[in-house]
Amino acid sequence: MSALSPALIEALYDRFGDRFSTSQPLREQHGRGESHHIAAIPDAIVFAENTEDVAETVRLCAAEGVPVVAFGAGTSLEGHLSAVRGGVSIDLSRMSQIVRISAEDLDCTVEAGVTREQLNAHLRDMGLFFPIDPGANASIGGMASTRASGTNAVRYGTMRENVLSLTVVLPSGQIIRTGGRARKSSAGYDLTRLFVGSEGTLGIITEVTLRLYGIPETTSAALCSFENVEQAVAAAIAVVQLGIPVARMELMDRGLIEAVNAYSNLSLKIEDTLAFEFHGSPASVQEQVEMVAGIVGDNGGKDFEWANTPEERNRLWKARHNAFYAVVSQRANAKGWSSDVCVPVSQLSACILDTRELLRSCSVPAAILGHVGDGNYHVVFAVDPTSQAELDEVAAINKKMVEYAISVDGTSTGEHGVGTGKIKYLRQEHGDAVDLMAVIKNAIDPKGIMNPGKILPNDVSPAV
């Protein structure tokens, strides 16, 4: 771990005053996300309030080759926040200004620390919303950095499709903007897509320009239960293949339903379940519902249970978003291990059934859930972080899941990101393209100070 020099500590304190801290509790808080990954704490914290604060911190750290790690809401699941080589954690949570909104153009610009719930609360009275919903109340900057998606991705896409441009602080401290507000451009390299999903390894995102959408005229949600997960997945695949524009289509296996009932005080049928949400005009929603009901019935689904009022829908989706915590709460002092893979929809049934078999002999609580409309599913495990046997067991299951997904042209992570947790699979998935990624990393960050130890395997990462 790197130790900050007295000169750097003095320079940061002179610049930021009480917004610079070496407090042990704060450092521990900033060295981990929400999952089982072991914390690696930074040497200091800087609380940035604007882009220039971030740039100045990076300039001071770059001069001494000190690593910097961006911190948003702390909700990451794959070890993105761990300061594996020490350095300075730049906390962006105070950068919470909504810079501008254009209802006419259906876009907005926000600082990186704005959370998705904060943004949607601000937009509601304008009849607008931002649909990307990873579940956690994540920061927009963090969502862009990990290329997040979530329950609405089947209709509205992911952060990749919904980010128009970025303001980024490069490893030198230089500030750039990666694009404009035009909906398309052929001018130059697509730098926005380069930084979206780069997990802070190429630069720190400080502002994000986003696409917005009108709040649907009609919204309806329903649950449908099945006797087995094969039927549920078959129904989901049929909905996708017929091009029905459902807004949400979520799989929750019976183990998850049982955990969610206990955690959220619900009484859902303990069966493999699909949850749907439909957006549009009254006529289009009715058409979607009728088509989906027919497909569900053909695949053994039972009667829909409707959640039509806002309160009922919010309760349903809050319970789904709390799935991670519901599984973890099944045992005392557990930590969550959440793995996600994404495969072509045609391969989804085989992959989930293979995972189901892997879980039959698993000794720890586990559940399957997923955004099955786009081939992305998750397994959440509740592990004892002090038990190496449990960690090894879950790691072996995770490895088989990932390798199966890659073998059918899928990916090791559909939305959580690589962080430290999926590094070992990057070359298996991308082959020699990993070497090109390293060239890009080395060109932009030759000192290797931007969130080192993430995404790229050690054999191609630049030395510090």
Side-chain angles (χ1 to χ4, degrees):
M1 177 178 287
S2 70
L4 306 188
S5 71
L8 180 56
I9 291 173
E10 182 179 4
L12 290 169
Y13 181 77
D14 287 346
R15 173 65 171 76
F16 296 105
D18 61 4
R19 292 192 287 127
F20 170 75
S21 177
T22 56
S23 157
Q24 182 74 13
L26 273 177
R27 291 165 54 211
E28 290 177 356
Q29 175 192 339
H30 285 74
R32 67 158 67 248
E34 292 194 340
S35 66
H36 70 288
H37 293 285
I38 298 173
I41 66 175
D43 298 306
I45 316 297
V46 167
F47 291 90
E49 294 182 347
N50 52 54
T51 296
E52 187 53 44
D53 282 351
V54 177
E56 182 62 18
T57 303
V58 171
R59 289 182 199 118
L60 290 169
C61 290
E64 297 198 13
V66 170
V68 290
V69 181
F71 185 96
T75 59
S76 73
L77 295 172
E78 287 292 1
H80 304 90
L81 304 176
S82 59
V84 295
R85 297 179 188 166
V88 175
S89 174
I90 304 179
D91 188 312
L92 307 176
S93 61
R94 298 184 187 182
M95 294 182 61
S96 58
Q97 297 298 309
I98 296 172
V99 178
R100 58 152 207 96
I101 296 171
S102 174
E104 297 83 1
D105 294 311
L106 291 176
D107 68 22
C108 70
T109 300
V110 302
E111 291 184 327
V114 171
T115 66
R116 67 171 186 87
E117 290 182 3
Q118 175 193 351
L119 176 58
N120 277 321
H122 189 86
L123 293 170
R124 190 173 299 121
D125 290 344
M126 302 178 190
L128 302 172
F129 82 120
F130 179 65
I132 309 307
D133 179 6
N137 188 24
S139 68
I140 298 297
M143 289 168 62
S145 292
T146 56
R147 203 184 295 125
S149 56
T151 57
N152 281 319
V154 63
R155 178 160 183 165
Y156 297 99
T158 72
M159 289 299 283
R160 179 183 64 189
E161 291 80 34
N162 287 282
V163 173
L164 293 172
S165 68
L166 302 167
T167 298
V168 180
V169 175
L170 298 179
S172 63
Q174 180 185 1
I175 302 167
I176 65 166
R177 191 168 179 229
T178 64
R181 293 169 53 204
R183 291 304 173 108
K184 63 180 182 180
S185 171
S186 297
Y189 298 134
D190 190 347
L191 296 180
T192 300
R193 301 298 172 272
L194 177 63
F195 285 98
V196 170
S198 65
E199 301 179 19
T201 62
L202 302 178
I204 296 178
I205 295 168
T206 60
E207 288 188 0
V208 187
T209 297
L210 301 165
R211 296 175 184 263
L212 301 177
Y213 298 81
I215 293 174
E217 181 182 0
T218 301
T219 300
S220 183
L223 292 172
C224 186
S225 56
F226 297 80
E227 291 184 2
N228 55 62
V229 75
E230 296 97 317
Q231 292 177 331
V233 175
I237 291 172
V239 170
V240 173
Q241 291 175 337
L242 286 175
I244 302 171
V246 294
R248 286 168 159 160
M249 184 165 55
E250 294 289 297
L251 171 70
M252 298 183 284
D253 78 351
R254 63 190 61 214
L256 179 61
I257 294 292
E258 189 171 7
V260 162
N261 278 348
Y263 186 81
S264 298
N265 193 28
L266 298 176
S267 55
L268 305 176
K269 292 179 183 176
I270 301 177
E271 294 186 300
D272 297 310
T273 299
L274 287 179
F276 297 94
E277 188 165 282
F278 307 94
H279 293 176
S281 68
S284 69
V285 166
Q286 183 62 33
E287 182 182 26
Q288 292 172 50
V289 168
E290 291 174 357
M291 293 178 70
V292 170
I295 292 169
V296 163
D298 291 344
N299 286 279
K302 302 173 185 177
D303 292 339
F304 280 123
E305 293 182 28
W306 294 96
N308 286 327
T309 69
E311 294 77 18
E312 290 171 333
R313 290 197 303 272
N314 290 341
R315 192 176 187 204
L316 166 63
W317 293 117
K318 184 175 181 181
R320 162 60 184 85
H321 290 329
N322 283 335
F324 178 85
Y325 307 107
V327 174
V328 176
S329 71
Q330 292 179 298
R331 59 190 304 203
N333 302 315
K335 282 287 187 181
W337 180 324
S338 181
S339 183
D340 80 312
V341 295
C342 190
V343 298
V345 172
S346 62
Q347 300 295 325
L348 183 61
S349 182
C351 286
I352 289 182
L353 292 179
D354 182 76
T355 298
R356 191 74 172 260
E357 286 302 311
L358 293 173
L359 296 184
R360 290 192 192 281
S361 59
C362 182
S363 67
V364 307
I368 298 173
L369 59 149
H371 320 311
V372 287
D374 57 11
N376 184 200
Y377 71 96
H378 310 249
V379 178
V380 179
F381 302 87
V383 298
D384 176 357
T386 66
S387 170
Q388 192 59 50
E390 283 190 13
L391 295 173
D392 290 345
E393 177 187 6
V394 173
I397 293 172
N398 181 56
K399 182 175 186 289
K400 290 177 180 178
M401 279 177 54
V402 171
E403 291 182 342
Y404 191 115
I406 293 173
S407 75
V408 295
D409 269 349
T411 177
S412 61
T413 172
E415 60 185 12
H416 291 175
V418 175
T420 58
K422 295 287 180 68
I423 286 179
K424 67 180 72 174
Y425 306 111
L426 201 68
R427 190 172 288 280
Q428 187 175 346
E429 180 174 338
H430 291 291
D432 290 344
V434 172
D435 297 321
L436 179 58
M437 296 180 197
V439 170
I440 295 169
K441 166 72 170 174
N442 292 338
I444 296 174
D445 182 22
K447 294 183 178 180
I449 67 168
M450 304 304 290
N451 205 9
K454 315 297 164 54
I455 298 187
L456 292 174
N458 289 332
D459 62 330
V460 298
S461 294
V464 174

